[in-house]
Amino acid sequence: MTSGPTGAAYPGRVMATEQRHEPPLHRFGRFSRLSWFSARSRELFQGLGAALTTPTTPGAPLLSEASSRWVRLLPYVVAVAFVSSLLPSTVTVLVNDYDVNGALAGAVAIAQTAPLLLAVSRPLQAWWVIFTADVLGALVLLGSDGPHGDLWPWTPPAVVGYCALMLALGLRESRRALFGVWLATGVAGYVLEAFRPAGDTSVHTLLLVLSGVLLLLTSAVRARGDAQRRLVEQETISEAERSRRTLLEERARIARELHDVVAHHMSVITVQADSAPYRIPDLPEAAREEFTSIAASARESLAEMRRLLSVLRSDGSEGERAPQPGLDRVQQLVEATVRAGVPAELSLAADLGDVPQAVDLSAYRIVQEALANIVRHAPGATTRVSVRASDDGWLTVLVVNGPGAEAGSGVERGADGTGHGLVGMRERVRLTGGSLDTGPLPDGGFRVAARLPLTADPAPDPNPDANRDPSPDPNPDPSPDPNPGPAPAPATTTKDPE
């Protein structure tokens, strides 16, 4: 017996192999910590990128829309870091390089750096304070004569703090406000340029260029976030409108079809009421008047239905003159599907009993739309159609297909539907008071199962929550061409005696 590493003949060898390949515990712990840190860093940067492109509500702090708490705290951390570094450096530069009084240097430094904390939520108000403080600081530099102060009119810390403020402004304010800020910066710099001491180097052009570039970049990021948000909102609205329009169109289509069903019954009532005095001898006068009233009410109902139907057909479409199909034409529908290249089998009960016309029409349309789905999105798939009635007063319609026989067929080829397929099935099932269960199968196929009531008071549905759609419609086409193929190919049909 020569067992491998998983055998039991050489347990010592197995244990040695496992020990030789087992990493040290401290290396495993270090690797886990690195992986955790890498994942957290990646999540943080992804959240930061999403927050930067998301418009902020006016008055709310920057990045307040971010889902991560660390990203929401990031602006405050950055603002505190800038203030804690620029405040002492500004005092040092003013005192050592420009020979400014210490108290005055501290006041100017606080006015130029502390408002950066306010810029997290109100950057425009912070700009007014810092801009005024920078101009006053330039006037303070004008009255000083330090040994190393040769930059005019802004000190290096003031330039850095002003650029940081531009980042907050660009992510929050409108383009008009940003242009006003940039223009005020340029005007103030060029006005102070007229008072530049001899021998000092001007930095106002540098600040003007840097502030303009930063404002353009950050405003572009903000505009991109606005555009993405509006696009998402528009797509949501369009999808809702498309779904609503599809639902209304399908309901109108069902109403047009049911008109023929109801009109038939109303016409029968009218004829029976009109002919009752001639068919029933010695009919009392009161009964004759009652039958006349019934016939008049039936005619009025038919007229109202025709007027309603004219409203539903206001788009100019004409009504169909052929009788509405039913379960007696399901075999023809399956044969037409076979001619389209889909091998289909039909199991149809020999005696379905007295099927209501609305249920008869709805069952046929469900089978028709399900087969249209298969022809369009799963060509060549093995298909099974079953229609049978149960003793508890329910009609079960089942259409199951396997995966498409053609590689890259159906949806994978980009054949987008119109959204009517499952919508029509759901509406027809809801109309009759039945239930619908649709969804993909583990092998790549699809299943459509409908239960429709055959009587006005059937037995309780054992699966009342089946009227659902767990997956997107793989084929929303309303109905296929019943004669797509040139040569007939008979479908396999099984009559079930019941």
Side-chain angles (χ1 to χ4, degrees):
M1 179 176 179
T2 57
S3 174
T6 57
Y10 304 103
R13 182 180 302 176
V14 174
M15 293 179 60
T17 303
E18 293 178 353
Q19 291 176 1
R20 186 166 56 248
H21 289 84
E22 183 180 0
L25 184 60
H26 68 278
R27 292 186 180 179
F28 180 76
R30 185 188 307 167
F31 178 76
S32 300
R33 287 192 297 271
L34 289 176
S35 301
W36 179 86
F37 181 76
S38 176
R40 295 293 296 176
S41 301
R42 190 183 308 110
E43 180 183 355
L44 180 63
F45 282 111
Q46 289 176 353
L48 178 60
L52 286 175
T53 57
T54 301
T56 306
T57 304
L62 291 173
L63 308 184
S64 61
E65 306 294 333
S67 57
S68 175
R69 178 172 176 267
W70 300 105
V71 176
R72 294 195 298 269
L73 293 177
L74 184 60
Y76 295 99
V77 175
V78 174
V80 171
F82 270 106
V83 173
S84 60
S85 60
L86 292 179
L87 180 58
S89 60
T90 301
V91 174
T92 302
V93 169
L94 291 177
V95 172
N96 297 335
D97 294 350
Y98 292 90
D99 199 14
V100 179
N101 180 267
L104 183 58
V108 172
I110 292 175
Q112 290 180 346
T113 58
L116 290 176
L117 298 173
L118 178 64
V120 175
S121 58
R122 300 183 181 278
L124 190 59
Q125 289 82 346
W127 174 80
W128 279 108
V129 178
I130 293 179
F131 177 73
T132 304
D134 288 345
V135 173
L136 294 178
L139 299 179
V140 171
L141 299 182
L142 186 62
S144 62
D145 188 15
H148 305 291
D150 55 354
L151 297 181
W152 175 265
W154 323 114
T155 61
V159 173
V160 175
Y162 202 83
C163 291
L165 180 61
M166 294 300 103
L167 295 175
L169 277 170
L171 292 174
R172 172 64 59 81
E173 303 300 331
S174 64
R175 292 185 176 180
R176 180 178 299 180
L178 298 182
F179 179 75
V181 167
W182 182 76
L183 187 62
T185 303
V187 170
Y190 282 106
V191 169
L192 293 174
E193 174 68 14
F195 303 96
R196 182 179 61 174
D200 286 359
T201 302
S202 176
V203 295
H204 72 276
T205 303
L206 175 63
L207 180 60
L208 184 63
V209 172
L210 288 177
S211 61
V213 171
L214 292 175
L215 289 176
L216 283 176
L217 291 178
T218 51
S219 63
V221 171
R222 182 177 184 272
R224 181 175 177 270
D226 285 335
Q228 289 181 342
R229 177 178 54 83
R230 287 193 295 267
L231 180 60
V232 171
E233 293 177 354
Q234 189 61 38
E235 288 179 350
T236 304
I237 295 174
S238 300
E239 184 64 26
E241 289 295 330
R242 189 181 302 110
S243 301
R244 181 175 178 273
R245 183 174 64 252
T246 299
L247 182 62
L248 294 178
E249 290 175 356
E250 192 62 28
R251 286 180 177 177
R253 176 171 173 251
I254 295 174
R256 290 194 294 265
E257 293 179 351
L258 288 181
H259 164 266
D260 297 338
V261 176
V262 179
H264 168 72
H265 293 291
M266 298 299 297
S267 300
V268 172
I269 293 174
T270 304
V271 172
Q272 289 178 341
D274 284 334
S275 62
Y278 305 98
R279 293 183 291 103
I280 303 176
D282 301 329
L283 193 65
E285 187 64 27
R288 290 175 180 269
E289 294 179 357
E290 187 68 22
F291 279 120
T292 302
S293 176
I294 292 174
S297 298
R299 291 192 187 93
E300 184 179 356
S301 299
L302 282 173
E304 291 292 338
M305 287 181 59
R306 293 190 182 98
R307 282 193 289 269
L308 176 61
L309 189 64
S310 65
V311 174
L312 295 177
R313 287 175 176 156
S314 59
D315 55 354
S317 60
E318 297 182 358
E320 298 179 359
R321 293 178 173 83
Q324 293 294 347
L327 291 175
D328 56 340
R329 295 179 55 184
V330 169
Q331 183 173 354
Q332 302 176 15
L333 185 62
V334 174
E335 291 176 354
T337 305
V338 173
R339 290 195 298 270
V342 176
E345 296 181 359
L346 173 62
S347 177
L348 182 63
D351 185 12
L352 293 175
D354 187 13
V355 180
Q357 286 185 280
V359 175
D360 195 31
L361 174 60
S362 297
Y364 174 84
R365 291 302 187 192
I366 289 173
V367 174
Q368 184 184 38
E369 292 172 353
L371 292 178
N373 292 350
I374 301 170
V375 171
R376 182 176 176 86
H377 292 281
T382 303
T383 304
R384 179 168 56 92
V385 181
S386 174
V387 180
R388 59 179 67 239
S390 59
D391 297 335
D392 54 358
W394 291 92
L395 178 70
T396 302
V397 179
L398 181 65
V399 181
V400 180
N401 66 275
E406 301 179 12
S409 62
V411 177
E412 295 178 358
R413 295 186 299 185
D416 296 331
T418 58
H420 289 264
L422 293 181
V423 173
M425 295 182 191
R426 284 192 294 268
E427 287 302 305
R428 293 182 186 279
V429 167
R430 185 181 294 113
L431 173 70
T432 58
S435 61
L436 178 68
D437 184 12
T438 63
L441 299 176
D443 61 352
F446 202 82
R447 174 179 180 268
V448 174
R451 287 174 56 84
L452 308 175
L454 292 174
T455 60
D457 189 18
D461 191 351
N463 189 13
D465 297 330
N467 191 6
R468 64 186 188 276
D469 180 15
S471 65
D473 186 1
N475 169 32
D477 284 352
S479 61
D481 185 0
N483 299 299
T492 303
T493 307
T494 303
K495 293 289 186 177
D496 297 335
E498 291 185 354

